[in-house]
Amino acid sequence: MSSLSDFATRLKNARQTKGWSMDKLCENMDPPVSKMTISRYEKGEIWPSSTHLIALANALSKSYDYFMRPITFQLETVHFRKKSNVTVKETKRIEQETADRLENYIELEEICGEPSCEKLPVYEVSSINDVTAAAEDLRTKWGIGKNGITNVIDLLESHGVKVIEIDAPESFDGLSSMVCGEMPIIVLAYQKKFSERKRLTAVHELGHLVLKFDDKIVEKEQESLCNRFATEMLLPEKELKEILGKKLSNYVFSEVRAVQKRYGISFDAVMYKMKECGIIPEKRYVGYRIYKSKNHEYKVNVETNYWHEECSDKLLRLAGKAYDKGLITLSKAACLLNKNVTEVQKELVL
């Protein structure tokens, strides 16, 4: 059973995950309590009665036992990729939803007896050459062939990274964190229409987990180096030069499109990589950007996504295994998957 302080933290987290104020929570409780009472709950001053605890659970779409479990971990060293229009409130909601989903993930692993144990390598980075070398070494360690990464999420999960997908505004890309100093997680937004962007974001966040930057490298430069790591993992410079050539005065649209389709990386990212690797001159890349900005039809064409959808299904597979073995009930599976029982029944029961 959780302590009063753990209950208080869970209540506040659940409310913030909903994006609700205390007043909004009061409005959705049946029977309701006052805002002052909610405040006292969240300060850890008093326990709710069993009636009001059930009302809290119902309002916040949480199970009764969610509030009774002790808190066993906190997110650490969170790297957030988002645009400035993502509010502090939305940021907090994303972090709290991540913590809740991760807790369910860990519980299902423990129930199934399948904890992740592989540790990620760490690479010291003081220059862009170190980043390129790190990507090359990791590709070799993970057995990634010349044809690229078929499924980024499957690859990450097969090497001990917990991938969590959440509903988030379009301006949110992803975050990464280490839990207890040894459990790597990457959080992505559901982006069915933008799988190429999602793949790049996932590997960018992997960069934050495996690259240890020199103290002199500022945050903005770290982001740039993580982008280079991501493109090098998805589309190595050596492979790109073998396909297109080492030096071009111009680019052939059909050849760039073929690279995009083969490696699951956007047309824009391929063009930037060509410029970055010196395959095309800076002036030609700038010309491409200008033409794209002035020609709407061309812009739509080059921004078309060609890669198949990638989603994490490990949590569902773990829940299915636990349910099939009789280790959890259908309602418990629904709770751990943050879905209703009807949805889960269709996915887990023949």
Side-chain angles (χ1 to χ4, degrees), residues 36 52 148 169 185 230-231 246 249 269 315 342:
M36 179 63 72
H52 286 135
I185 68 162
T231 60
K246 295 182 179 180
S249 59
L315 204 61
T342 303

Side-chain angles (χ1 to χ4, degrees), residues 73-97:
F73 68 86
Q74 295 290 336
L75 296 181
E76 306 161 21
T77 321
V78 176
H79 296 282
F80 231 112
R81 288 191 76 209
K82 60 184 177 64
K83 296 181 177 64
S84 58
N85 60 345
V86 179
T87 65
V88 173
K89 183 178 180 181
E90 186 66 20
T91 298
K92 192 67 177 177
R93 185 194 70 77
I94 290 169
E95 288 183 347
Q96 296 306 334
E97 184 174 346

Side-chain angles (χ1 to χ4, degrees), residues 176 186 202-213 226 229-230:
S176 55
I186 289 175
V203 190
H204 174 103
E205 296 303 331
L206 175 65
H208 280 297
L209 295 172
V210 301
L211 302 179
K212 184 179 180 181
F213 295 105
C226 282
F229 173 82

Side-chain angles (χ1 to χ4, degrees), residues 243-254:
I243 296 168
L244 299 179
K246 295 182 179 180
K247 204 79 172 177
L248 303 172
S249 59
N250 203 347
Y251 69 94
V252 177
F253 183 92
S254 60

